[in-house]
Amino acid sequence: MPVPLLDLSIQHEALQPQLDEKVLEIMHSGKFILGQYVEEFEQKLADYHNAKHAIGVSSGTDALLLSLMAMGIGHGDEVITTPFTFFATAGCIARTGATPVFIDIDPKTYNLEHQNIERAITSRTKAIMPVHLFGLPANMGPIMDIAKKHNLRVIEDAAQSIGAMYTDKMVGTIGDCGCLSFYPSKNLSCMGDAGAIITNDDELAAKFRQYRNHGMGGEYKYINIGGNFRLDAIQAGILTVKLDHLSDWTDKRIQHAHRYNRHLEQIAVSEPHEYEYRKHVFNQYTIRIHGGGRDALLNHLGANGIGCRVYYPFPLHTEPCFDYLKYQAGSLPISEEAAIEVLSLPVYPEMTRQQQDEVIACIKDFFSSE
Ligand SMILES: Cc1ncc(COP(=O)(O)O)c(C=O)c1O
């Protein structure tokens, strides 16, 4: 039986009556951009995070770009981040004219290693952008201490980690702001592109709202140069319906992950690390195959109809578009090693036990025939 990496059709079928009703209501309302449906979603999302503000935007990428722009980060500035992430994290820094400063990651969590931050700080550093990769919070305690000490902004890239917690705080509410993505592969997904920014800072929230609508502060009064980063009502409506189910879906992801852990612990792979004070929401269940063999396992699973994928095969400091930053291959060795050893397996909430057994059996079969 084939096991896809992700199958959204099951959750959409289960929610079809509510989704149909909401989408039709919005269609007939004629209110498609911002407005009451976006506000309803924003309120619900802010409540979910126990945060003061949630600002709906056009994508996770735009949430990051808008945050940097509204904080006045641009030419001549530096932002410290991880190279082991999706392109948008660093792409947005570079798009503002600022320089992404890549530091190496923690080999266990794949998140930015806080001990590398201070030596990367210069007089130009304006912000740190940690990524809560795969659904596991970065080590926000020390990151916030360093940010406070050096008076730096912290923009959390929480695109993969809605619902994850660091101690008693939801990710996205710990730094100055947190950026979410609702791209279809995310734990809370829409049917197109959408994102949001979470913040407890009233002043920043007002700026974010202004910047997402071209920087308009009053009728045709452009206070700043923003852009069209607006969330549309249909995506907001879909997300409003789905948000009620997020906690249940997250619990299921965690159950699948723990079951994988139990079955894979005797095999020569490392399972994802977890910590009591950091709730992992498993946007990805990512194993590590040390010392070669990852691509052979990837091919074996693929040949047996199991969806799996490498997130991410190339750390960003090695991407051609960042050649101008002059990082050498080997300069961030932990990220480079992770890129050739990680593999993400299906962990979507609706995956059946039988499907998961299939994945486990296929991995065991690979290692027994090695
Ligand atoms: C870590 C990370 N940052 C940013 C993004 C960008 O989000 P979006 O695809 O909604 O623009 C994504 C998702 O694709 C992501 O995984």
Side-chain angles (χ1 to χ4, degrees):
M1 173 203 348
V3 187
L5 184 58
L6 172 68
D7 183 356
L8 284 169
S9 66
I10 309 164
Q11 65 172 243
H12 290 164
E13 269 162 37
L15 295 177
Q16 194 176 340
Q18 296 99 300
L19 288 169
D20 285 357
E21 193 186 337
K22 197 74 177 180
V23 170
L24 281 175
E25 182 188 326
I26 296 168
M27 209 173 92
H28 292 301
S29 78
K31 294 173 187 144
F32 300 133
I33 306 288
L34 298 178
Q36 72 184 83
Y37 296 104
V38 169
E39 282 161 25
E40 182 189 7
F41 172 60
E42 289 177 335
Q43 188 57 54
K44 208 164 166 175
L45 190 66
D47 293 346
Y48 175 84
H49 284 87
N50 202 13
K52 279 171 90 175
H53 307 279
I55 295 108
V57 296
S58 33
S59 68
T61 304
D62 288 343
L64 293 167
L65 182 62
L66 170 54
S67 300
L68 291 157
M69 287 170 72
M71 288 179 192
I73 293 171
H75 285 278
D77 297 333
E78 293 176 353
V79 179
I80 295 172
T81 193
T82 161
F84 196 57
T85 177
F86 179 61
F87 174 75
T89 313
C92 289
I93 298 169
R95 284 169 67 191
T96 66
T99 303
V101 175
F102 296 116
I103 60 172
D104 219 345
I105 56 170
D106 167 17
K108 290 202 179 105
T109 63
Y110 309 118
N111 284 326
L112 183 151
E113 167 55 69
H114 67 88
Q115 297 192 46
N116 295 332
I117 296 176
E118 279 198 293
R119 76 179 84 105
I121 294 175
T122 71
S123 57
R124 292 165 176 247
T125 310
K126 289 289 179 313
I128 306 170
M129 194 181 271
V131 180
H132 308 301
L133 200 72
F134 303 146
L136 175 70
N139 201 358
M140 290 306 290
I143 292 172
M144 292 308 294
D145 290 345
I146 296 167
K148 267 196 201 105
K149 183 170 153 199
H150 296 273
N151 196 24
L152 303 175
R153 293 284 202 179
V154 175
I155 299 167
E156 295 175 65
D157 182 339
Q160 301 184 2
S161 55
I162 186 169
M165 300 192 64
Y166 186 88
T167 62
D168 59 346
K169 288 197 177 119
M170 287 251 173
V171 298
T173 67
I174 305 164
D176 293 277
C177 68
C179 299
L180 303 176
S181 163
F182 306 118
Y183 181 80
S185 65
K186 302 299 192 262
N187 288 18
L188 177 67
S189 64
C190 62
M191 297 186 187
D193 274 311
I197 312 177
I198 309 293
T199 186
N200 283 313
D201 183 323
D202 297 340
E203 212 176 302
L204 272 182
K207 275 196 177 167
F208 293 152
R209 288 183 198 286
Q210 196 191 80
Y211 270 81
R212 83 171 159 184
N213 200 12
H214 298 290
M216 195 159 73
E219 189 88 352
Y220 289 96
K221 276 280 157 272
Y222 298 97
I223 315 294
N224 292 292
I225 300 171
N228 174 0
F229 300 124
R230 297 177 302 235
L231 175 60
D232 76 74
I234 289 183
Q235 298 308 334
I238 290 165
L239 290 162
T240 301
V241 170
K242 285 187 158 196
L243 184 52
D244 286 335
H245 302 272
L246 179 62
S247 299
D248 178 42
W249 292 333
T250 303
D251 289 347
K252 293 201 169 103
R253 285 177 180 273
I254 294 170
Q255 282 163 22
H256 293 329
H258 290 172
R259 187 156 184 269
Y260 271 134
N261 288 348
R262 288 196 298 278
H263 285 272
L264 298 181
E265 68 189 358
Q266 279 96 26
I267 300 173
V269 301
S270 293
E271 300 90 45
H273 283 264
E274 278 187 88
Y275 302 82
E276 243 171 60
Y277 65 102
R278 298 196 224 180
K279 181 179 176 189
H280 196 325
V281 294
F282 294 101
N283 178 240
Q284 300 297 338
Y285 182 88
T286 303
I287 57 170
R288 185 161 186 161
I289 301 95
H290 295 275
R294 190 271 313 272
D295 290 341
L297 176 59
L298 172 79
N299 292 337
H300 176 74
L301 290 168
N304 285 280
I306 312 277
C308 56
R309 207 152 168 187
V310 175
Y311 298 112
Y312 292 92
F314 306 107
L316 296 182
H317 67 287
T318 68
E319 291 289 358
C321 69
F322 291 126
D323 280 354
Y324 72 99
L325 296 173
K326 306 220 177 325
Y327 288 86
Q328 305 293 325
S331 58
L332 299 171
I334 301 172
S335 304
E336 290 167 39
E337 197 169 44
I340 52 178
E341 295 189 340
V342 293
L343 186 62
S344 296
L345 305 177
V347 72
Y348 60 95
E350 299 79 8
M351 178 174 67
T352 63
R353 183 165 279 229
Q354 204 188 351
Q355 286 177 307
Q356 191 177 26
D357 286 342
E358 196 106 0
V359 181
I360 294 164
C362 199
I363 296 173
K364 286 188 172 163
D365 172 55
F366 174 82
F367 282 101
S368 66
S369 62
E370 255 203 333

